[in-house]
Amino acid sequence: MLYCVRMEVNLPRDLDPEQLQQLKDREKARALELQHQGKFLHLWRVVGRYANISIFDCSSNDELHELLSSLPMFPYFDIEVTPLAQHPSSIK
Ligand SMILES: O=C(O)CC1=CCC(=O)O1
């Protein structure tokens, strides 16, 4: 099943710069891992926002929740999930 996920990032403003960099490095490593596993199909920055639009391919809502909550920045995300279905006019 495909899911469109919007993640708005709300990092604490007083986070130590070194901790912040470590958090970003861990986030990137986990995102790359999920992409290599074929679970995380697309990752796009939302122009003008500290937010992304992502497409996940998961077998269930529970798996999606598990993957999202495995992202190190999960505690700092506001997440909106839109499950996707086939469009009858789509050629893909
Ligand atoms: O949008 C961001 O910067 C947060 C994020 C989610 C996955 C990733 O690599 O970064």
Side-chain angles (χ1 to χ4, degrees):
M1 292 194 289
L2 295 178
Y3 296 88
C4 178
V5 178
R6 181 186 169 109
M7 302 177 220
E8 193 90 31
V9 187
N10 301 298
L11 293 172
R13 293 192 180 276
D14 59 352
L15 207 59
D16 171 69
E18 200 171 310
Q19 281 182 314
L20 177 60
Q21 194 52 55
Q22 284 175 6
L23 181 63
K24 287 181 176 179
D25 291 347
R26 289 196 300 123
E27 183 71 19
K28 184 171 184 173
R30 182 62 180 142
L32 289 175
E33 197 171 53
L34 293 174
Q35 286 172 81
H36 288 304
Q37 289 171 6
K39 298 286 178 188
F40 199 160
L41 303 185
H42 291 275
L43 173 56
W44 297 97
R45 179 63 75 217
V46 177
V47 175
R49 308 283 310 174
Y50 193 3
N52 70 70
I53 300 272
S54 297
I55 304 292
F56 284 85
D57 188 359
C58 298
S59 57
S60 64
N61 293 347
D62 288 340
E63 185 187 18
L64 178 63
H65 185 77
E66 197 177 300
L67 296 187
L68 292 175
S69 55
S70 76
L71 291 167
M73 283 189 181
F74 179 74
Y76 307 113
F77 290 150
D78 279 333
I79 295 180
E80 195 180 286
V81 175
T82 307
L84 301 176
Q86 194 67 40
H87 193 289
S89 305
S90 172
I91 60 167
K92 291 184 188 167

